[in-house]
Structures are given as structure tokens and as C-alpha cells.
């Protein structure tokens, strides 16, 4: 019995050590701090860099400035579909939200809710009309978007031996919803050189 108890105690110690071993490898990042590029794959820093640079180029477009000059107001925009045509899984919803944040923070364009949000808001207005008549918000007073921002993410891998270059390209277009004219188009490319460690003999 004593020998069995010692075996169980030893197994428990090994289990606890294994469970606690990963905690020494975990660290937190402060908000806004650079994220380490551990794998060479698409990450948060890439999203931030791509979206901020593309939106900076977009809002500096003379056609965007021309809209305000001719209409006397800021253009109203919305982010449409961001397609993933890369060779890996990329959460394009995060890219779309970054685009949206950059547009809103620029102060150059107004922004309206996306299609999913609009459906929820319309359902709420219908409910208000039925249950809160005196204070219900009117249906049909929505602000229509003038422009839609669309984009595509591509990737390419050039690999030989232990060395590789992984390239990501994001294309974006600002489109006039009424005329379908492309008012602005931009692209941002990020390339990463990766060298795998030699296998230990």
C-alpha cells in the first residue's frame, strides 16, 4: 500500500509540473503594444498596418474631397465584403472592423451600420412601433451610404529548403454605390522572410 501511495504521489507531482510548465511561457501584451511575429503567418500587427495605411490613402483621395466640395457634406460610407483568397484561414471580419475603425477615426467620412446590424435595428423599430408607440423611432429615416469599401486578401509562399518568403497582399476599392464607379483603389503588400531551425541530430 505504501509503495502504491508513493507511485500516485509521484504521478501527481509530474502532472502538476506538466500543467504548470506552460505558465512560464505566457505573457500579456499591453493595449497597443506590438505583437511578436512568432510564426510568420498573418497576425494582428499585419491587420493594423494594412488597414491604417490603406485608409490613409483612401481618405486622401481627391475624389473623396471632391464629394464634400460638391455635396457640401461628408460622404457616408460602409464596409462591404472582404474576401479571403489566401491559402490560409484569415478572419476577414477583423479586417472589415479595422477598416471601419480607421474610417470613423479619420473624421473624413461618416459611417452607417452594416447589413446585419441594420436588420437588427429594423426589427427593433418594428417592435417599438408595436409596443412603445409614443417614443418609437420612425421606420424609413435611415441614412443611406454613398460609398462602399470592398477588399480582398491574397497570399503567396516562395519556399526552398529551410528558407521561405510568405507574402500577403490586400487590395481595396472605394466604390460609388449609385454609379458603381471605383473612386479609389489601393494595395498593401507585406512580405516575411522565415528561416526554420536546423533539425537536431
Amino acid at each position: 500500500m505504501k509503495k502504491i501511495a508513493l507511485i500516485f504521489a509521484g504521478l501527481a507531482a509530474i502532472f502538476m509540473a506538466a500543467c504548470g510548465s506552460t505558465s512560464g511561457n505566457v505573457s500579456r501584451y499591453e493595449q497597443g503594444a506590438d505583437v511578436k511575429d512568432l510564426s510568420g503567418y498573418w497576425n494582428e500587427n499585419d491587420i493594423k498596418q494594412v488597414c491604417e495605411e490603406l485608409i490613409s490613402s483612401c481618405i486622401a483621395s481627391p475624389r473623396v474631397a471632391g464629394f464634400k466640395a460638391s455635396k457640401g457634406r461628408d460622404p457616408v460610407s460602409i464596409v462591404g465584403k472582404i474576401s479571403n483568397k489566401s491559402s490560409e484561414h484569415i478572419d476577414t471580419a477583423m479586417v472589415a472592423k479595422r477598416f471601419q475603425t480607421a474610417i470613423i477615426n479619420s473624421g473624413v467620412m461618416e459611417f452607417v451600420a452594416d447589413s446585419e446590424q441594420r436588420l437588427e435595428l429594423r426589427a427593433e423599430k418594428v417592435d417599438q412601433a408595436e409596443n412603445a408607440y409614443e417614443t418609437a423611432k420612425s421606420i424609413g429615416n435611415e441614412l443611406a451610404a454613398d460609398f462602399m469599401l470592398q477588399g480582398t486578401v491574397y497570399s503567396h509562399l516562395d519556399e526552398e529548403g529551410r528558407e521561405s518568403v510568405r507574402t500577403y497582399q490586400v487590395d481595396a476599392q472605394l466604390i460609388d454605390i449609385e454609379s458603381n464607379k471605383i473612386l479609389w483603389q489601393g494595395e498593401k503588400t507585406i512580405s516575411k522572410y522565415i528561416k526554420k531551425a536546423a533539425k537536431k541530430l
Side-chain angles (χ1 to χ4, degrees):
M1 289 293 291
K2 188 175 181 181
K3 187 177 289 186
I4 293 173
L6 287 171
I7 291 171
F8 275 112
L11 289 172
I14 293 170
F15 176 76
M16 293 296 289
C19 291
S21 63
T22 57
S23 63
N25 298 325
V26 177
S27 59
R28 293 181 181 271
Y29 286 96
E30 295 296 329
Q31 188 68 29
D34 288 340
V35 178
K36 291 181 180 179
D37 201 335
L38 300 176
S39 65
Y41 286 101
W42 180 261
N43 62 36
E44 184 184 341
N45 267 359
D46 300 327
I47 297 173
K48 181 179 179 182
Q49 183 181 349
V50 164
C51 293
E52 287 182 354
E53 288 195 24
L54 284 176
I55 295 303
S56 293
S57 171
C58 177
I59 62 177
S61 167
R63 290 188 178 93
V64 172
F67 181 95
K68 186 171 184 178
S70 63
K71 302 288 186 179
R73 62 174 176 84
D74 291 330
V76 179
S77 61
I78 191 169
V79 174
K81 184 177 181 180
I82 307 297
S83 301
N84 178 20
K85 294 188 178 180
S86 73
S87 59
E88 62 191 71
H89 171 73
I90 290 177
D91 186 357
T92 55
M94 289 183 67
V95 180
K97 284 298 180 185
R98 282 282 190 176
F99 275 136
Q100 178 176 323
T101 299
I103 290 171
I104 292 172
N105 291 344
S106 74
V108 174
M109 291 187 272
E110 300 292 340
F111 210 89
V112 292
D114 62 31
S115 56
E116 187 175 333
Q117 291 171 320
R118 290 198 301 273
L119 290 175
E120 186 176 1
L121 289 164
R122 287 166 186 164
E124 172 62 21
K125 290 173 187 176
V126 170
D127 183 75
Q128 288 183 3
E130 295 175 354
N131 302 296
Y133 181 77
E134 292 186 359
T135 57
K137 301 302 175 284
S138 299
I139 296 174
N141 286 339
E142 296 180 16
L143 184 63
D146 302 299
F147 302 153
M148 178 179 285
L149 185 75
Q150 296 178 330
T152 308
V153 182
Y154 303 93
S155 70
H156 174 73
L157 180 64
D158 184 15
E159 189 171 23
E160 184 175 355
R162 294 189 296 111
E163 296 179 298
S164 61
V165 175
R166 184 176 285 116
T167 301
Y168 297 95
Q169 179 175 313
V170 180
D171 294 347
Q173 302 84 32
L174 187 70
I175 303 170
D176 186 306
I177 294 175
E178 186 169 16
S179 66
N180 292 339
K181 288 182 180 179
I182 297 177
L183 306 176
W184 165 87
Q185 182 164 306
E187 67 177 51
K188 172 63 180 177
T189 301
I190 293 176
S191 294
K192 304 182 181 187
Y193 169 75
I194 304 156
K195 186 173 182 179
K196 296 177 183 177
K199 292 182 179 180
K200 294 181 179 179
L201 299 177

